[in-house]
Amino acid sequence: SQDGFSCVSSGINAEYGGTSAATPTVAGMIALANDARLDAGKPVLGFLNPFIYQNPGIFFDVTLGPPSQACWLDDLEGYPLSEGWDPVTGFGTPDYRRLIQAAMQYY
């Protein structure tokens, strides 16, 4: 599918999407950023909120798509996507190269 992550577990092909795919992927990116910082003699990033809010340019801002079904409450239509931070996509999806560059310049 174009919307999911293809994975193989115990020889079985499966596709995952949403937070089940995105969360471990972003966690892996942060781990690689921390590894690069440690290799350069710098401390790990630690609590990420200050880093994220000071570096919104490391994200691709997702502004197109339907309201999030995961955020639907009763008959409400969910939260719409918008420019900048929004409750569905946060700041957006990280750009790995920009993330690493910003992490290496951070404190």
Side-chain angles (χ1 to χ4, degrees):
S1 152
Q2 294 177 349
D3 296 330
F5 278 42
S6 294
C7 300
V8 177
S9 177
S10 300
I12 299 171
N13 292 328
E15 288 198 17
Y16 299 93
T19 54
S20 296
T23 301
T25 300
V26 173
M29 290 179 176
I30 297 300
L32 290 170
N34 280 332
D35 190 49
R37 287 180 58 82
L38 289 171
D39 284 348
K42 298 180 177 197
V44 297
L45 292 168
F47 182 60
L48 293 175
N49 281 13
F51 172 72
I52 291 170
Y53 279 86
Q54 290 173 29
N55 293 283
I58 65 175
F59 296 94
F60 172 74
D61 191 8
V62 179
T63 58
L64 298 176
S68 170
Q69 292 179 344
C71 296
W72 286 9
L73 300 172
D74 297 325
D75 60 351
L76 299 178
E77 293 185 9
Y79 295 105
L81 301 175
S82 62
E83 287 190 25
W85 186 91
D86 62 63
V88 179
T89 64
F91 276 111
T93 57
D95 178 305
Y96 178 73
R97 286 191 172 100
R98 289 181 183 172
L99 170 71
I100 295 298
Q101 289 172 348
M104 294 307 292
Q105 295 173 359
Y106 190 65
Y107 71 88

